[in-house]
Amino acid sequence: MRRKDDTLRETLLDLARSIADSDGIEAVNIRTIAQRAGIAIGTMYNYFSSKEQILLALTEEYWMQTLLEMKAVIPDGPFCEQLKEMFLFLRERISQSAGKLMNSLGSLETLGQARMASMQSVLEASLIRSIDRDAGVRSDVWSEQFTKQQFARFVLGNVMMLLKSKAPVEDLDFLIAIIKTVIY
């Protein structure tokens, strides 16, 4: 088997992204990408075994880029303010391309969710850093039974549930009221 060319893989993903942006996710397919890349369909299968594999790779790239951008745009400040900004940022992204990509994974949805778990661990670490930088958080709130990690996981789980259910911001405000009661 020939060695895969990372540059060609990136080119193929760029073409897939371009097709998805211009013609919609449903227009992304192995044949069209191969034609636009000027390669044989068999060569395309050396890099991606299915349309879903391409969409999964695009989804992962999209989320990595989103997390980098989020880190740059969320201002420092109290934990609850950062949490609200994070929620609004992610809600906007999910309503754009991210939600459509995630919903298009078909038979790979479970695999996609497993890979998204690593993205969630990045978000969880970000929440912990935000808690650590918030001077208003009571230092006596944490214990062996109630750790920052558990709390961050709980908060993130609730935020993700609100995002998936397309809940209004008022539901997040209720969660934030609970958080304030607990940690301040």
Side-chain angles (χ1 to χ4, degrees):
M1 180 178 196
R2 274 186 28 192
R3 201 170 66 105
K4 292 182 183 177
D5 178 358
D6 289 338
T7 304
L8 179 56
R9 184 181 190 282
E10 287 306 311
T11 299
L12 298 173
L13 284 174
D14 288 343
L15 288 169
R17 189 178 311 100
S18 174
I19 293 167
D21 290 345
S22 64
D23 304 330
I25 292 169
E26 53 284 338
V28 174
N29 63 62
I30 299 272
R31 181 176 306 278
T32 303
I33 296 168
Q35 285 174 338
R36 291 197 185 176
I39 62 172
I41 293 173
T43 302
M44 186 72 191
Y45 280 106
N46 288 332
Y47 293 88
F48 301 100
S49 61
S50 66
K51 172 182 177 170
E52 287 83 11
Q53 285 285 336
I54 296 166
L55 296 175
L56 180 59
L58 287 177
T59 302
E60 287 178 299
E61 274 188 2
Y62 186 87
W63 277 111
M64 285 190 285
Q65 183 63 34
T66 295
L67 293 177
L68 287 172
E69 289 174 19
M70 185 178 74
K71 191 184 250 186
V73 300
I74 304 291
D76 282 341
F79 173 70
C80 289
E81 288 176 22
Q82 288 186 336
L83 183 63
K84 188 165 192 170
E85 290 298 320
M86 180 184 88
F87 174 84
L88 294 172
F89 182 85
L90 291 175
R91 185 172 73 169
E92 180 183 329
R93 290 306 176 98
I94 289 171
S95 71
Q96 296 170 353
S97 300
K100 293 174 188 165
L101 278 169
M102 290 167 62
N103 291 330
S104 68
L105 295 178
S107 63
L108 296 179
E109 184 176 352
T110 303
L111 180 59
Q113 290 172 347
R115 291 195 185 166
M116 290 298 117
S118 67
M119 304 298 174
Q120 288 182 350
S121 67
V122 170
L123 283 171
E124 188 178 306
S126 177
L127 291 177
I128 292 168
R129 279 191 304 279
S130 182
I131 291 168
D132 286 341
R133 288 191 301 256
D134 188 341
V137 174
R138 292 185 1 239
S139 60
D140 67 337
V141 74
W142 313 118
S143 69
E144 283 186 38
Q145 291 79 32
F146 190 78
T147 67
K148 278 186 242 182
Q149 290 78 13
Q150 291 169 317
F151 183 72
R153 193 170 302 124
F154 169 81
V155 169
L156 183 59
N158 279 278
V159 166
M160 298 309 281
M161 180 200 60
L162 293 172
L163 289 168
K164 285 179 186 175
S165 69
K166 299 179 182 170
V169 175
E170 293 78 23
D171 288 358
L172 177 70
D173 291 338
F174 180 73
L175 175 62
I176 288 174
I178 293 169
I179 292 167
K180 286 180 177 180
T181 300
V182 172
I183 67 173
Y184 293 110

